Amino acid sequence: QKEVEQNSGPLSVPEGAIASLNCTYSDRGSQSFFWYRQYSGKSPELIMSIYSNGDKEDGRFTAQLNKASQYVSLLIRDSQPSDSATYLCAVIGLYNQGGKLIFGQGTELSVKP
Amino acid sequence: EAGVTQFPSHSVIEKGQTVTLRCDPISGHDNLYWYRRVMGKEIKFLLHFVKESKQDESGMPNNRFLAERTGGTYSTLKVQPAELEDSGVYFCASSPWTRVFTDTQYFGPGTRLTVL
């Protein structure tokens, strides 16, 4: 079982729709959760972080965390073609004292005009 | 503020040769991480420096990989001798030394290594 799992996609949504990206993790004690966006050939860029159960909103982005279900998601409202990218879920585990990120494989999102 | 920079952006070498990748973190960032993404796989952690000290090198694949961080500034990752399975994109990331569980790691653009 992979430590962090994501659907690889591609996920295709029309412009203006809500894109929903999902991630599950295996380490029940994981404490920090991140969503990175990576455009093709570019570096990963942090867009959201979440540390406690519930929702966290930042502009058009909402991260949702459910530690009991070991599940974290990212919602993108009013999706734009510029949101087309690969979205990486990353987790810091319970016994990780150094902050190393454990990544999922990434979900490719395509927003069609 | 300059971001994380990496050099070279792309390197093509023959199997058995040596390659050295360089990373310059954001000025003042004590934490420096190396990650690697091989084709079709997720980004994987290689090692973590705090200043010039190796904090965690549990992700280094084998002893053909040697990382250094001279004076706690830039870091190099040397692969000697390179093998075909070393091909991939090598990312460097840095963060300040405050709270590693919440600090943003800023990634560089990566070095694409191709071993023929």
Side-chain angles (χ1 to χ4, degrees):
Chain A
Q1 181 188 10
K2 290 187 176 181
E3 292 181 89
V4 178
E5 293 208 57
Q6 297 179 251
N7 291 327
S8 60
L11 173 66
S12 183
V13 301
E15 184 174 355
I18 295 175
S20 177
L21 305 161
N22 305 313
C23 172
T24 58
Y25 57 94
S26 61
D27 181 356
R28 182 169 290 278
S30 296
Q31 51 193 306
S32 304
F33 307 86
F34 306 89
W35 283 99
Y36 280 81
R37 177 177 62 198
Q38 186 177 23
Y39 293 111
S40 181
K42 303 294 184 181
S43 57
E45 172 193 16
L46 182 69
I47 53 172
M48 289 289 285
S49 58
I50 188 166
Y51 311 108
S52 55
N53 280 327
D55 295 359
K56 179 181 177 182
E57 186 175 317
D58 183 1
R60 296 186 296 112
F61 298 97
T62 299
Q64 299 174 316
L65 175 61
N66 183 327
K67 290 188 176 181
S69 300
Q70 295 174 234
Y71 175 92
V72 58
S73 65
L74 179 71
L75 300 178
I76 306 174
R77 290 182 300 281
D78 188 24
S79 295
Q80 301 296 309
S82 58
D83 294 326
S84 297
T86 296
Y87 289 80
L88 304 166
C89 174
V91 170
I92 296 180
L94 174 63
Y95 297 107
N96 175 7
Q97 297 302 308
K100 76 177 185 185
L101 295 170
I102 301 171
F103 283 92
Q105 217 167 336
T107 297
E108 183 183 346
L109 173 66
S110 177
V111 181
K112 303 295 187 185
Chain B
E1 177 184 88
V4 177
T5 58
Q6 293 186 245
F7 182 84
S9 58
H10 194 180
S11 180
V12 181
I13 61 172
E14 299 276 336
K15 175 183 171 181
Q17 290 186 320
T18 297
V19 63
T20 300
L21 315 180
R22 173 170 170 146
C23 168
D24 286 78
I26 292 172
S27 178
H29 281 192
D30 288 337
N31 288 303
L32 188 150
Y33 303 84
W34 282 98
Y35 295 89
R36 176 175 75 170
R37 184 168 198 165
V38 298
M39 182 80 76
K41 302 282 190 179
E42 67 273 20
I43 296 174
K44 284 198 169 179
F45 168 82
L46 295 178
L47 85 159
H48 169 211
F49 283 99
V50 176
K51 299 185 179 180
E52 67 276 5
S53 300
K54 291 176 186 174
Q55 177 83 3
D56 179 357
E57 49 184 330
S58 61
M60 294 288 263
N62 51 59
N63 59 11
R64 295 185 293 102
F65 289 75
L66 175 64
E68 294 179 325
R69 189 178 182 192
T70 307
T73 55
Y74 71 91
S75 174
T76 58
L77 180 64
K78 181 192 286 188
V79 184
Q80 178 182 30
E83 298 289 344
L84 299 178
E85 64 265 24
D86 301 331
S87 295
V89 181
Y90 290 75
F91 291 103
C92 175
S94 72
S95 70
W97 180 240
T98 50
R99 294 179 298 171
V100 292
F101 297 108
T102 58
D103 282 335
T104 299
Q105 290 186 28
Y106 296 88
F107 280 75
T111 293
R112 181 174 296 276
L113 175 64
T114 302
V115 182
L116 302 177

